Amino acid sequence: MRATTKPTTADLDAALPAQRGRPARRPPTGEDPSLRAAYRLCRHTTRVHDSGIHALIQLMPTVLRPPCWALWAAASVLDDLADQRDAEQAERAARVEAWTQALQRDLTVGTSTDPVRHALVDTALRWRLDLSSLQGAVTSTLDDVRDRRFADWAEWRAWCETLVPWVDQVRHLFEQAGAPMTLRLDRQQDYKRFIDGAQLTDILTDLGADLTQGLLLLPQEALDTYPSAEDDLRQGRWSPATAALIRELTALARQWLTRPAMTTGMHPGAATVLNTAACLMRAQLDAVDGAGPTLLKRAPRPSLATRTRILAPARLRSGLAWSLTPLTAPGPRRPAVTKSDPSRAAEADTALQPPPPHPGGARPPQITLDQMPAHVAVIMDGNGRWAQQHRLPRPEGHRAGTAAAHEMVYGALEIGLRHLTLYAFSTENWKRDTGEITTILEAIRRDLDDGPLRDLDVRQRWLGHPDKLPDELVQALLREERRTRNRTALTLTVCINYGGRDEITRTAAALAQEAHAGDIDPHLIGEDDFARHLPHPDMPDVDLLWRTGNEQRTSNFLPWHATYAELHFTPDHWPDVDRRDLWQAITEYSRRQRRHGAAPLVSPEHHRPPRHVRCDCRSCPP
Ligand code: IPE
Ligand code: IPE
Ligand code: MG
């Protein structure tokens, strides 16, 4: 079960004799002795449960170690609860459930009588972690994996993804501390492969222990490469087929773990942590390769000399890197008082708010569900001309345009739209004057920091490429993406440094990489494969594409998603529109007949305009 929740490496702590006997580093917990003891226990639990992880945490800056111990100790406790062989599956599930429910209660009061939860609650509140994202990972530790079979690598990966939320929590900690473990968006594929490599290393290491429990956590696709290998493994027999299979899998894991570009441009301390993790896991794979038949009896370990060779220079490098970056731990915080969902208590200080009403009291039209677009995309054009019309400098037009963007979000929430995508800055807009570019990007960043969308039930995400964008803006975009990821009413995608051709080119490159690595057969690539490699694979096709500013072109906006979009062009400059214009666009859309290449429908049924209970949009009579 361990492989389902987190990666392990070999017992590396023994490689660090200098560490032994030292008093535990004092976590920044203020004067609360019980909290200090709780963090110490978490550190101990991490070391006992997975001393390789403990060694990696020692490469992190001092302020980040206690929260990492708390997270890892919690993962270990949950793992143990889910794994207890003395209990039936239902009983184990009940124990995990009880622990997580107690955590939710503890989060609302800000403390716990259980030491691991006490440290975890302090970590979550202090570092503003949203622990609700761990729910899926926790649930999957309850799965009974005994009969689990994976047809292919894709199924195996989907199961392994439960690790990602834990890793994301650690990345969030780095970001909060001011040393972001920024993964460039064009390296996301590398990141995913790295996680796969960690999982596969773990599974190969624990092969013997898993087999004694009847578990063989490898995809059928891989097992079938050597026909007798599966039988041999299940019978505990070492054979030429099993040896060849293991060799092939260690080579694959090594390839997945070797992603030098993943840490390019990263803080050198964070890069050292990731690169060392990769080195340790490769050493672990060497040990698996060298184990031969004993692999089926016990977990192999790299030698002490090997571990020391990797960890000693890493300690020096990380120590130097972190000493050059002053980082501080945030102080203790109290939980939010008014949260309807206690699992999200650490997420924000306030409960989610409804959108402010339209100043004139306008209400949205009622559109029947089958006539509502799922996804509206907007080219917000005409800021410059609006400014010119008002004898203002162009930057003023962009500032005024921000209020119109807020209006779109309010209108989308009120009418019940699920996806709204706004074009804010194109890859072609770099051709503009530097001052104007700075104004546009600055306005976006300020809005992310303290704009009025922060407390709405809106999941905010960014589509575009980080190249040339200011680092603070990229960080703010990623932060908001993380902060709002569990919100459900509306998904707002803001396109910044976005170009449709750029998106298609990068997606094609990602597919080419997969084909090159042998993960996908180039002859079988279909539209679905392409769509799965887009930056936001879950983004639905655009139903309605609306452009303001009296231009009738799409300017490199969403070419993949908008192939069948209904087009809507309006003359107003962007700062002059408000939510009623969005409602009007949707109302017009609801009257269109979409065919997607089929023959027209003749039944009069389909020509009847929708009935509105009451509509305040600008085109409908009062
Ligand atoms: C759209 O308004 C905003 C961006 C492209 C960033 P414009 O700045 O293009 O306004 P016009 O088209 O010049 O009036
Ligand atoms: C499109 O507007 C880009 C955005 C709205 C962000 P532009 O004003 O840049 O488009 P063109 O150059 O007139 O086609
Ligand atoms: Mg324009």
Side-chain angles (χ1 to χ4, degrees):
M1 289 288 282
R2 197 159 32 141
T4 62
T5 54
K6 61 192 193 309
T8 57
T9 54
D11 182 350
L12 299 155
D13 214 29
L16 296 168
Q19 228 1 68
R20 291 234 177 103
R22 269 194 209 171
R25 205 176 282 267
R26 207 172 189 225
T29 54
E31 289 312 305
D32 181 350
S34 70
L35 195 51
R36 268 210 301 279
Y39 274 111
R40 263 202 301 275
L41 177 79
C42 289
R43 180 187 184 172
H44 177 75
T45 308
T46 306
R47 177 184 258 168
V48 170
H49 212 269
D50 191 337
S51 55
I53 290 295
H54 182 261
L56 279 179
I57 293 177
Q58 294 304 107
L59 301 180
M60 295 186 183
T62 320
V63 292
L64 288 187
R65 292 177 201 168
C68 287
W69 296 330
L71 279 168
W72 228 269
S76 308
V77 166
L78 285 166
D79 237 10
D80 288 348
L81 287 177
D83 242 359
Q84 283 164 342
R85 294 287 141 203
D86 66 318
E88 288 301 313
Q89 162 75 0
E91 171 59 21
R92 284 183 273 145
R95 289 176 191 173
V96 171
E97 185 67 24
W99 199 91
T100 47
Q101 276 181 7
L103 174 65
Q104 290 179 4
R105 281 193 303 274
D106 295 343
L107 281 166
T108 60
V109 288
T111 184
S112 177
T113 49
D114 172 89
V116 171
R117 287 202 302 269
H118 190 27
L120 186 62
V121 165
D122 178 71
T123 286
L125 294 173
R126 193 186 287 262
W127 294 88
R128 293 169 190 267
L129 297 184
D130 175 8
L131 297 183
S132 63
S133 67
L134 295 178
Q135 198 58 47
V138 170
T139 310
S140 89
T141 62
L142 298 173
D143 287 352
D144 192 349
V145 290
R146 231 165 297 180
D147 297 322
R148 193 174 282 276
R149 284 179 191 264
F150 313 104
D152 51 25
W153 285 109
E155 267 183 30
W156 179 86
R157 274 191 192 111
W159 171 71
C160 288
E161 261 171 19
T162 47
L163 167 70
V164 175
W166 293 97
V167 180
D168 278 353
Q169 298 287 337
V170 176
R171 286 179 55 203
H172 179 80
L173 288 173
F174 272 89
E175 188 185 306
Q176 290 279 306
M181 200 181 250
T182 312
L183 291 171
R184 294 162 45 131
L185 291 196
D186 54 343
R187 298 293 171 220
Q188 293 294 331
Q189 208 56 28
D190 282 339
Y191 170 57
K192 284 186 188 150
R193 281 291 161 275
F194 184 80
I195 303 268
D196 291 344
Q199 291 284 44
L200 188 51
T201 305
D202 197 26
I203 287 169
L204 291 172
T205 302
D206 290 339
L207 196 65
D210 285 349
L211 282 168
T212 58
Q213 289 179 30
L215 297 174
L216 183 52
L217 300 170
L218 293 167
Q220 206 56 47
E221 183 185 350
L223 295 170
D224 288 348
T225 328
Y226 298 93
S228 63
E230 180 179 359
D231 255 9
D232 290 341
L233 283 175
R234 291 196 185 275
Q235 303 301 321
R237 268 197 311 263
W238 188 254
S239 66
T242 53
L245 174 68
I246 300 300
R247 242 192 338 271
E248 184 168 305
L249 292 175
T250 50
L252 190 61
R254 222 175 260 115
Q255 184 195 330
W256 286 346
L257 288 167
T258 309
R259 304 276 139 180
M262 192 174 80
T263 50
T264 310
M266 204 178 264
H267 183 286
T272 302
V273 175
L274 277 183
N275 290 333
T276 308
C279 282
L280 291 174
M281 286 188 279
R282 280 194 297 263
Q284 182 62 41
L285 290 166
D286 292 344
V288 169
D289 272 338
T294 59
L295 179 64
L296 303 184
K297 297 194 171 59
R298 59 181 167 274
R301 296 267 158 83
S303 70
L304 181 66
T306 305
R307 289 176 275 160
T308 312
R309 205 176 54 238
I310 295 168
L311 281 168
R315 275 188 163 267
L316 280 177
R317 258 198 315 277
S318 63
L320 179 67
W322 296 126
S323 71
L324 299 173
T325 312
L327 303 171
T328 44
R333 292 175 74 242
R334 301 300 307 155
V337 235
T338 50
K339 290 300 290 183
S340 50
D341 177 0
S343 67
R344 296 164 103 187
E347 189 186 346
D349 288 329
T350 50
L352 293 177
Q353 303 291 327
H358 184 266
R363 296 292 306 146
Q366 288 196 357
I367 308 283
T368 56
L369 216 56
D370 58 329
Q371 274 151 336
M372 253 314 265
H375 184 184
V376 175
V378 189
I379 302 176
M380 313 185 285
D381 197 19
N383 290 350
R385 278 163 287 160
W386 180 91
Q388 209 173 15
Q389 206 176 48
H390 291 77
R391 298 181 190 289
L392 293 166
R394 284 181 64 87
E396 289 307 317
H398 297 305
R399 290 198 186 98
T402 307
H406 297 156
E407 271 291 308
M408 288 315 116
V409 176
Y410 304 152
L413 283 167
E414 287 184 329
I415 201 170
L417 183 66
R418 301 309 308 272
H419 286 265
L420 175 69
T421 298
L422 301 177
Y423 203 6
F425 190 86
S426 74
T427 43
E428 286 69 38
N429 288 147
W430 293 107
K431 293 176 193 154
R432 298 187 181 200
D433 174 87
T434 321
E436 180 173 346
I437 294 174
T438 309
T439 312
I440 296 170
L441 300 181
E442 230 343 81
I444 298 172
R445 193 192 56 76
R446 242 179 293 121
D447 205 49
L448 288 164
D449 286 349
D450 48 30
L453 305 185
R454 288 183 61 83
D455 297 324
L456 302 178
D457 192 4
V458 176
R459 172 169 72 137
Q460 294 190 49
R461 358 187 247 195
W462 163 43
L463 185 58
H465 200 264
D467 271 2
K468 296 200 279 187
L469 287 178
D471 199 42
E472 313 82 73
L473 174 61
V474 173
Q475 293 317 319
L477 287 162
L478 296 176
R479 181 198 67 216
E480 289 311 290
E481 234 173 54
R482 253 195 300 279
R483 193 178 66 85
T484 62
R485 68 184 154 199
N486 292 314
R487 299 185 180 178
T488 52
L490 170 72
T491 295
L492 169 67
T493 307
V494 185
C495 299
I496 302 164
N497 197 19
Y498 172 85
R501 284 192 171 179
D502 179 73
E503 180 179 61
I504 286 179
T505 310
R506 287 178 197 281
T507 305
L511 268 176
Q513 258 185 20
E514 294 241 316
H516 184 66
D519 293 339
I520 191 166
D521 179 348
H523 300 100
L524 300 178
I525 293 175
E527 288 184 12
D528 284 354
D529 298 300
F530 191 90
R532 269 192 297 109
H533 286 77
L534 286 163
H536 294 311
D538 62 334
M539 186 155 113
D541 280 352
V542 174
D543 294 311
L544 170 62
L545 176 62
W546 168 29
R547 180 173 191 147
T548 62
N550 214 20
E551 307 287 5
Q552 309 216 340
R553 53 180 174 261
T554 57
S555 304
N556 203 13
F557 189 40
L558 300 176
W560 177 268
H561 302 86
T563 44
Y564 254 104
E566 293 295 321
L567 304 178
H568 179 69
F569 298 108
T570 56
D572 288 340
H573 298 140
W574 180 250
D576 284 331
V577 305
D578 72 17
R579 66 188 90 176
R580 292 171 301 172
D581 297 282
L582 173 69
W583 297 341
Q584 183 173 332
I586 292 176
T587 304
E588 278 189 29
Y589 165 89
S590 72
R591 293 179 179 139
R592 300 236 181 129
Q593 196 194 102
R594 303 183 75 195
R595 291 198 288 271
H596 296 279
L601 293 162
V602 284
S603 153
E605 276 272 296
H606 294 273
H607 294 280
R608 213 167 40 204
R611 265 187 312 241
H612 303 140
V613 175
R614 177 172 175 251
C615 176
D616 283 323
C617 88
R618 288 176 185 184
S619 67
C620 289

